[in-house]
Amino acid sequence: MTRIENAKKGIITEEVKTAALIEGVSAEKLSIDIAEGKSVIARNNIHNIKPLAIGKDLKIKVNANIGTSKDKSTIDEEIEKLKVLVKYGADAVMDLSTGGPIIEIRKRLIEESPIPLGTVPIYEAAVEGAARYGSIIKMTPDDMFNAVRAHAEGGVDFVTIHCGLTMRAVDRLKSQGRILDIVSRGGALMLEWMIYNNKENPFYEYYDRLLELAHQYDLTLSLGDAMRPGCLADATDRAQIEELSTLGELQARALDAGVQVIIEGPGHVPLNQVEMNMKLQKTLCNGAPFYILGPLVTDCGMGYDHISGAIGGAIAGAAGADFLCYVTPAEHIRLPDLDNVVDGLIASKIAGHAGDIARGLPSAIERDKKMARFRKNLDWEGQMSMSFNPDKVRAWRAAAPPSESDVCSMCSDLCAIKTVERALKKK
Amino acid sequence: MTRIENAKKGIITEEVKTAALIEGVSAEKLSIDIAEGKSVIARNNIHNIKPLAIGKDLKIKVNANIGTSKDKSTIDEEIEKLKVLVKYGADAVMDLSTGGPIIEIRKRLIEESPIPLGTVPIYEAAVEGAARYGSIIKMTPDDMFNAVRAHAEGGVDFVTIHCGLTMRAVDRLKSQGRILDIVSRGGALMLEWMIYNNKENPFYEYYDRLLELAHQYDLTLSLGDAMRPGCLADATDRAQIEELSTLGELQARALDAGVQVIIEGPGHVPLNQVEMNMKLQKTLCNGAPFYILGPLVTDCGMGYDHISGAIGGAIAGAAGADFLCYVTPAEHIRLPDLDNVVDGLIASKIAGHAGDIARGLPSAIERDKKMARFRKNLDWEGQMSMSFNPDKVRAWRAAAPPSESDVCSMCSDLCAIKTVERALKKK
């Protein structure tokens, strides 16, 4: 029985109890939300990790993408990225490798990862298809499903499948007239296959086959947004919403089949459309968890897209997004290096935390109160312990040390906190 | 005659015409907004710089704070900071020096700065008072006003004056019971003076004297928020709103006296209170330009407070804030170094730009469309020209070069843009 099937029967498993305890919610509540498709636990049955619940009324989670491309593929660096990401509190990672020994990389990452690991199996199908047939357009539907099966059998916890990119959505895309058409890599591969073969998307046409496969491993499906806007001008258009409606239909079918689903979302979205996008997803997709990439509130943030993404992610989180995919400062420029992934992760963690506070999550609010009290007491070790990167704070403080040990070099002897405490004690 | 006096009479000066041209608005509109106190041009009559308009329907502006403290005071580094800030598009800078030869630093910065320069004269009064009397609490009201006069005579364009910190506000602060009381450095100094001397804030009590002085140089007053919340738990409380109401009264008196005013704002504010804070300021302060510090949407962002500030700043900008004071990643840790000020500036510029887009500013939307078209065309030079830091983009791209010159190393041969273009051209 899958999690949804257990939950529908009112069976509360040890896994649900553990996940609920981590979240600080009741196991009964979490179980009901799983039964209704509003929360998921993203774990493959054969992957031995702590359960991670994502969804309704839960702490906003952060995913970090890693992986190689043809131009940069060293397995050791990806393992190192995984380690620092876990150290700084990533909730999940996705291996998006498309270069080098990608099967070996995936296996190593699954072995090493103490947190849920996601993939996009179509990448592997495409890379292997290109090698086998000389072109990705010659892949067969079986090749695609076999890639998903290989990932499920290998212990991957959640997979992105671009099953909402239908022929109808492609028509809508063409009639829309976008600047950037499709910027999703998996979506682009599917589109090319569909157009050259003049066939419907196999993951849509044979969706039941996908559900059967997912059911077997209690694999969580992350329904991909091939139509996510790649620039602000393309945001919230008919192509995007067409796909989102289809994803809502597919989510309902998955729920009936006992398969957990999360929905992927934009993308590049103007700030004033972010909240609306979150609410639209929740209504069109039956309250399913929303997994968003950014959203980036400007197209011009190259080198600082983690900041554009944190702005969008925080607003989205406050408005109901459940799962933030980080964006690194290297986005749109190159594959990220170690520093880039840390910066991207912490930017998204700040966004998620700000969203949690806005949503009233007690543990998030309490953390900031603790920080404020440490600050009031000029307790620097305490402040570091509440920060997202104590190593950095310690190093920076040491690099410009204050002359009095209880203040910092910004205000030095004119520390407002000390001045006010002295003044208010008087009288 | 001051700008407001000219504007009230319908006289449209060359300065207003130039500022309007820069903004892409009509001089008539800008002049009306100046007459009504809804926009300002922050320039001292004797400072020979391009006019910078701030306020209603104008591009959101970004200020960068620089300056020394007792623990770190090298004049050359501050000049260097000024230069990189100007290079990367700061609209204004504030010299907050409190250590070393602060008068000389201020003079050098005014000479070197091609953009408006602001200060907090009470810092100088306090540092000099401490030297002269052995304690800042022995400063006289004359010492305080003389500092303002010295800055005005020296060519400072706008000054922060904490004139809303009244005895009544201090009572409200005490009855409120904050975690962090006052975190404004200038506010803390004023509070200590008021409590030890048991006297009303001289800048409030003798506000007309301040107005006369400002009138003489057409000096813009930035009414400081001594009560800005220093942590989320203190946000939007009675102490803060008491001061804001007073600032609204003082703004009205300044407008009558022909003196330009901007209002300073929070601080640390939970994301879900940011928009409300912006709207409250606009109603309580008669639509005067709002100059905000952050706001930071979490207290825990040490080392990444430019990101917490960019999240708050973008939402605030979209909701009506006119002028963002940057926050650097070194905030709460130490005085910022050169890299920190650039990172802080660009984070705030992204926030302002995202706010401009949300507010429908045509030039902001057009910039992103240009970027999107350059991206579609795989035009890397074009993309860099639309970014906030082309040097960084170029260096990062060169450090992980793609094997095909038109893509990047993230997707390499699987570039979505190329794949889709190929697919959509078919048939």
Side-chain angles (χ1 to χ4, degrees), chain A residues 69 71 192 299 368 403 409 422, chain B residues 69 71 192 299 368 403 409:
Chain A
S69 75
D71 290 343
E192 188 172 30
D299 304 328
D368 281 45
S403 53
S409 62
R422 197 166 59 221
Chain B
S69 76
D71 290 343
E192 187 171 31
D299 303 328
D368 282 44
S403 53
S409 62

Side-chain angles (χ1 to χ4, degrees), chain B residues 2 44-45 121 141-154 156 159 161 203 206-221 257 259:
Chain B
T2 64
N44 186 310
N45 276 339
D142 276 346
D143 292 334
M144 298 182 197
F145 281 99
N146 286 341
V148 181
R149 176 173 300 279
H151 286 222
E153 284 176 358
V156 166
V159 291
I161 309 283
F203 289 124
Y206 312 115
Y207 184 62
D208 287 334
R209 187 171 165 189
L210 184 65
L211 292 179
E212 266 172 54
L213 218 164
H215 188 278
Q216 203 177 331
Y217 296 86
D218 218 343
L219 177 68
T220 300
L221 298 179
V259 171

Side-chain angles (χ1 to χ4, degrees), chain B residues 59-72:
Chain B
K59 185 172 180 296
I60 296 165
K61 306 303 188 300
V62 175
N63 174 76
N65 290 339
I66 56 176
T68 62
S69 76
K70 191 183 132 197
D71 290 343
K72 199 152 184 292

Side-chain angles (χ1 to χ4, degrees), chain B residues 10-131:
Chain B
I11 300 166
I12 296 178
T13 61
E14 285 306 311
E15 184 190 52
V16 170
K17 286 180 193 164
T18 305
L21 197 67
I22 294 169
E23 295 294 322
V25 298
S26 82
E28 289 70 21
K29 180 217 162 5
L30 178 58
S31 184
I32 290 168
D33 289 337
I34 290 171
E36 294 179 352
K38 289 173 183 159
S39 294
V40 301
I41 292 179
R43 190 179 72 80
N44 186 310
N45 276 339
I46 62 171
H47 197 199
N48 186 25
I49 53 170
K50 262 199 305 196
L52 177 78
I54 301 168
K56 196 178 170 202
D57 305 323
L58 306 176
K59 185 172 180 296
I60 296 165
K61 306 303 188 300
V62 175
N63 174 76
N65 290 339
I66 56 176
T68 62
S69 76
K70 191 183 132 197
D71 290 343
K72 199 152 184 292
S73 55
T74 45
I75 190 162
D76 290 343
E77 192 179 341
E78 299 311 310
I79 296 290
E80 227 183 318
K81 284 182 192 170
L82 172 68
K83 286 183 178 161
V84 299
L85 288 165
V86 169
K87 175 183 173 187
Y88 288 110
D91 297 298
V93 286
M94 289 191 79
D95 170 24
L96 305 187
S97 292
T98 58
I102 59 178
I103 294 172
E104 190 193 338
I105 293 169
R106 167 166 55 82
K107 288 184 175 162
R108 278 286 306 281
L109 287 172
I110 292 170
E111 274 168 30
E112 301 274 353
S113 182
I115 57 179
L117 187 122
T119 59
V120 187
I122 194 68
Y123 293 171
E124 195 171 306
V127 169
E128 301 228 306

Side-chain angles (χ1 to χ4, degrees), chain A residues 47-121:
Chain A
H47 197 200
N48 186 24
I49 53 169
K50 263 199 304 194
L52 178 77
I54 302 168
K56 195 178 171 204
D57 305 324
L58 306 176
K59 185 171 181 297
I60 296 166
K61 306 301 187 302
V62 175
N63 173 76
N65 290 338
I66 56 177
T68 62
S69 75
K70 191 183 131 196
D71 290 343
K72 200 154 184 288
S73 54
T74 45
I75 190 162
D76 290 344
E77 193 179 340
E78 299 312 310
I79 296 291
E80 228 184 317
K81 284 182 191 169
L82 171 67
K83 286 182 178 162
V84 299
L85 288 165
V86 169
K87 175 182 172 187
Y88 288 111
D91 296 298
V93 287
M94 287 190 81
D95 169 24
L96 305 187
S97 292
T98 58
I102 58 177
I103 295 173
E104 190 193 337
I105 293 169
R106 168 165 56 81
K107 288 184 174 163
R108 279 287 305 281
L109 288 171
I110 293 172
E111 273 168 30
E112 301 273 352
S113 182
I115 57 178
L117 187 121
T119 59
V120 187

Side-chain angles (χ1 to χ4, degrees), chain A residues 75-216:
Chain A
I75 190 162
D76 290 344
E77 193 179 340
E78 299 312 310
I79 296 291
E80 228 184 317
K81 284 182 191 169
L82 171 67
K83 286 182 178 162
V84 299
L85 288 165
V86 169
K87 175 182 172 187
Y88 288 111
D91 296 298
V93 287
M94 287 190 81
D95 169 24
L96 305 187
S97 292
T98 58
I102 58 177
I103 295 173
E104 190 193 337
I105 293 169
R106 168 165 56 81
K107 288 184 174 163
R108 279 287 305 281
L109 288 171
I110 293 172
E111 273 168 30
E112 301 273 352
S113 182
I115 57 178
L117 187 121
T119 59
V120 187
I122 194 69
Y123 294 172
E124 197 171 304
V127 170
E128 301 229 306
R132 190 176 313 145
Y133 309 116
S135 167
I136 62 157
I137 58 171
K138 295 191 180 152
M139 280 188 289
T140 65
D142 275 346
D143 293 334
M144 298 181 197
F145 281 100
N146 286 341
V148 181
R149 176 174 299 279
H151 285 223
E153 283 176 355
V156 166
D157 299 292
F158 61 104
V159 291
T160 294
I161 308 283
H162 300 88
C163 44
L165 180 67
T166 60
M167 280 296 190
R168 194 161 62 174
V170 175
D171 286 343
R172 281 250 145 92
L173 173 73
K174 288 178 181 170
S175 85
Q176 179 74 48
R178 281 185 165 185
I179 295 181
L180 267 164
D181 294 313
I182 285 180
V183 296
S184 152
R185 188 164 35 164
L189 295 170
M190 293 306 301
L191 178 82
E192 188 172 30
W193 189 93
M194 289 161 67
I195 289 185
Y196 275 85
N197 293 288
N198 195 24
K199 282 193 178 143
E200 185 54 278
N201 181 340
F203 288 124
Y204 179 75
E205 193 166 4
Y206 312 114
Y207 184 62
D208 286 334
R209 187 172 166 187
L210 185 65
L211 292 179
E212 266 172 54
L213 218 164
H215 187 278
Q216 202 177 331

